[in-house]
Every structure is written in C-alpha cells, then in structure tokens.
Amino acid sequence: MQLPKSFYESRRLTTLVENYTSYTMDEVAMHVFETHKIAQQVHLQFNTPVLASMLQGKKIMHLRDKQSFDFLPGESLILPANELMRIDFPEAKTDNATRCLAMEISEERIARVVQRMNEQMQRTDGREWNLMDYNFHFTNDGGIYQILQRLVYLFTENHPSKELFVTNMVQELIIRILQANSRKAYSAQSKSLASTHKLAYVIEYIKENIQRPISNEELAAKAYMSTSNFYKVFKNEMGCSPVEFINQERITKATQLLQNPDFNLTEVFMACGFTNRSYFNRVFKRTKNSTPKAYRDRFMAL
C-alpha cells in the first residue's frame, strides 16, 4: 500500500520507535505508525476498537490469550477497546521503517452499521450480524485493500467533502470485515456446521471436491436454491462470489502443497482444480503477490 505525498509532507519524525501521524474525524481516526530501529516489547493500546493493517516491514504481536504471531504487509488485525498490544520490531531500520496503519472506529459507528446490515442483509441461518470476533487476524482481500488505500488518501487530502467520503468508506469497510469474519468462521468450522447450516454444507462440499471443476449451478442444487438466489445469498454473507471463494480455497491448498518438494508445479495446480498453468499463476500472484515458483523458492530458503 502506498502512502501519498501529502503524508510525508505533514508528518513529523520525533521518535524512532512508533512515531505516529494522526488524522481525526467524528467517531473515526487514522494513525500511521513508523518504527526506524529494532525494538522489543513496545506497548500500544487504544480506548476504542481498532483495525490495524501492516503497510511495510514485520511485527511480532503478543496479545492476551493468543499465541504470538508475525504481522506482515497485506494483513490486518481487529482489536477491541483497551486491548494491550506488546510488539516486537525485528527488522526495522533507519532507511527501511516498519509501518502500520491503525484505524480507530467508535463502537457506536460500528453498531449503527451492524443494525443496518441486520435490516437489509439477513443471513441464511437466521442469525444476526454482530460485532466481529476481536483479535481477528486476516489477510486483506482485494476489496478491503482498495478501501484502506482510499481511506489513506481521503484522510490526508484537504477536501471540503472529506468527512462524507470517509463516512461512506468506513461503512463499507465494516461490512467487508464482517463478511470476511463470516467467511473465515464458515471455512474453519464447515465440517461441524455442515448438518445445520446451508452455507457451511456448501463450503464443506467445495473443500471435498476442490480438485475438480465446480459450477454455481452444482452448488445451488446442493443448497436447494435457484442459481441466481444462491449467488446473491452467498455473496451477501461471504463478501465474495462462489468462484472467488473457490479460488481462495484452491490457493490455500496450493500454498500447502508448494511447501512439499515431492510435488512439482504441474502436480500442484492440477491437485487444486486449476485447468491450466497460466490461470493458476495469475490467481496465485493476485492472491499472494508472488508467483508459485517464487513462493516455493522463498519457503525452501527458510
């Protein structure tokens, strides 16, 4: 993610560890944190819920009731109000700062968006949308990435309608994060939920048949829905189309197989249900920002 020129023009570097530049509006604030030297056990806490998204470099996060983990570019983390973070910066340098975006959003703003979702975006199992699982760590999909890039631009721009633009983008961001949370929960629990939840059953079916072509018509039949209604319901709750979800599952499996030197690249893409090598390469690079070969080479070098 690129920071605009206006950010560098406005920011002041006063400390080498977690130097921050802040932009505030009603019920929402954006902070860009920069660290220019290796540091350990740096404490950080916000009094409102926050979306943290890595821009550059690497952090090691230590959270309450959660095993420590690497926090890398392209990944985000949802934290509740008053959650104490303990952070290590193993790679920060003077000429290569570790950078992270922190977006504070008031609980009142989130609650209003959730209420609107429950009024207009009913879920298939009758459950209501709720505040996302906190300490939710995920890889940004294309939609979330574009929103964050746009918000960085809007917050640093001097425009008379800036607050209105930000309000609309934050609403979309909350919706997409809740959908990503739903997608991850269904995927992780598809086997145990398959007997009681239509979408979980469909997702488990996708996983069991990932090595072959799967059509929307086939999935709709499994859900006992028309194809058009199934597509609408799936995208409404999961935040992506069935084809996009299938490709995500295939890339997840591909990353696992690429870590095994016993599989050559042809065997990998065929085992994941891709029909040709070039399409596999395009989807993999779009998802992982790396070619399959480069991903394997980097993993083998570790």
Side-chain angles (χ1 to χ4, degrees):
M1 186 181 300
Q2 298 297 316
L3 292 170
K5 183 180 179 181
S6 53
F7 163 77
Y8 294 101
E9 291 173 345
S10 63
R11 76 82 138 94
R12 293 182 179 179
L13 189 60
T14 59
T15 177
L16 294 180
V17 178
E18 290 293 69
N19 187 78
Y20 66 91
T21 306
S22 297
Y23 308 85
T24 60
M25 292 185 186
D26 184 34
E27 297 187 317
V28 62
M30 186 186 80
H31 316 279
V32 179
F33 288 87
E34 300 177 281
T35 294
H36 293 261
K37 71 175 184 178
I38 293 173
Q40 293 182 327
Q41 296 293 304
V42 178
H43 289 194
L44 184 62
Q45 189 174 38
F46 297 91
N47 59 14
T48 57
V50 64
L51 163 72
S53 188
M54 282 297 291
L55 305 179
Q56 180 176 306
K58 172 183 174 180
K59 292 183 179 182
I60 300 175
M61 305 293 294
H62 309 274
L63 304 177
R64 177 189 57 184
D65 302 328
K66 188 176 178 70
Q67 186 175 0
S68 299
F69 60 93
D70 292 347
F71 195 23
L72 302 171
E75 297 178 351
S76 290
L77 176 67
I78 305 297
L79 294 161
N82 302 312
E83 176 79 9
L84 179 63
M85 294 174 269
R86 292 178 293 113
I87 310 169
D88 299 338
F89 299 85
E91 300 176 354
K93 297 179 181 178
T94 303
D95 58 351
N96 190 24
T98 295
R99 290 193 176 96
C100 183
L101 177 74
M103 188 76 62
E104 289 189 85
I105 307 173
S106 73
E107 292 181 344
E108 293 77 14
R109 172 72 65 89
I110 297 171
R112 289 199 300 273
V113 175
V114 170
Q115 179 181 357
R116 188 168 184 180
M117 291 175 71
N118 283 319
E119 292 170 353
Q120 301 180 10
M121 300 170 60
Q122 288 78 15
R123 305 181 71 170
T124 55
D125 56 10
R127 292 180 301 150
E128 290 194 338
W129 293 98
N130 292 300
L131 298 182
M132 69 285 293
D133 293 338
Y134 283 123
N135 293 344
F136 170 41
H137 177 211
F138 61 97
T139 299
N140 299 331
D141 60 27
I144 290 175
Y145 174 86
Q146 292 295 332
I147 292 171
L148 291 175
Q149 184 73 73
R150 178 65 176 161
L151 282 170
V152 168
Y153 176 78
L154 289 173
F155 268 100
T156 58
E157 182 190 28
N158 185 20
H159 193 288
S161 301
K162 177 164 67 175
E163 189 150 346
L164 178 60
F165 296 157
V166 168
T167 295
N168 292 333
M169 296 303 297
V170 168
Q171 175 175 281
E172 184 179 351
L173 178 63
I174 294 168
I175 292 171
R176 286 187 179 272
I177 289 173
L178 284 168
Q179 290 172 327
N181 190 207
S182 176
R183 186 164 66 242
K184 186 171 183 178
Y186 270 129
S187 186
Q189 303 172 53
S190 59
K191 188 178 290 292
S192 61
L193 296 176
S195 62
T196 55
H197 295 72
K198 280 186 177 181
L199 286 185
Y201 176 78
V202 168
I203 289 167
E204 185 62 19
Y205 181 83
I206 290 171
K207 289 181 176 182
E208 292 175 349
N209 295 274
I210 200 70
Q211 75 285 353
R212 65 172 185 80
I214 306 171
S215 68
N216 285 343
E217 291 76 12
E218 182 180 355
L219 297 178
K222 293 295 178 182
Y224 295 97
M225 297 180 183
S226 69
T227 303
S228 59
N229 189 44
F230 168 74
Y231 182 92
K232 178 182 178 181
V233 167
F234 192 99
K235 191 160 188 178
N236 182 63
E237 192 154 344
M238 305 291 281
C240 63
S241 71
V243 169
E244 290 169 333
F245 179 81
I246 291 168
N247 281 340
Q248 290 170 11
E249 290 294 308
R250 285 176 171 157
I251 294 302
T252 297
K253 182 174 182 178
T255 58
Q256 296 167 354
L257 295 179
L258 287 168
Q259 296 171 23
N260 186 339
D262 293 337
F263 291 91
N264 63 43
L265 292 178
T266 299
E267 290 171 329
V268 169
F269 85 76
M270 292 184 67
C272 297
F274 288 99
T275 56
N276 66 75
R277 174 77 173 271
S278 61
Y279 181 59
F280 168 58
N281 287 346
R282 289 199 305 273
V283 175
F284 194 97
K285 188 169 185 179
R286 186 169 65 241
T287 306
K288 295 294 183 181
N289 198 31
S290 168
T291 66
K293 184 180 184 304
Y295 180 90
R296 165 167 277 179
D297 292 344
R298 187 168 66 250
F299 182 84
M300 293 303 173
L302 296 177

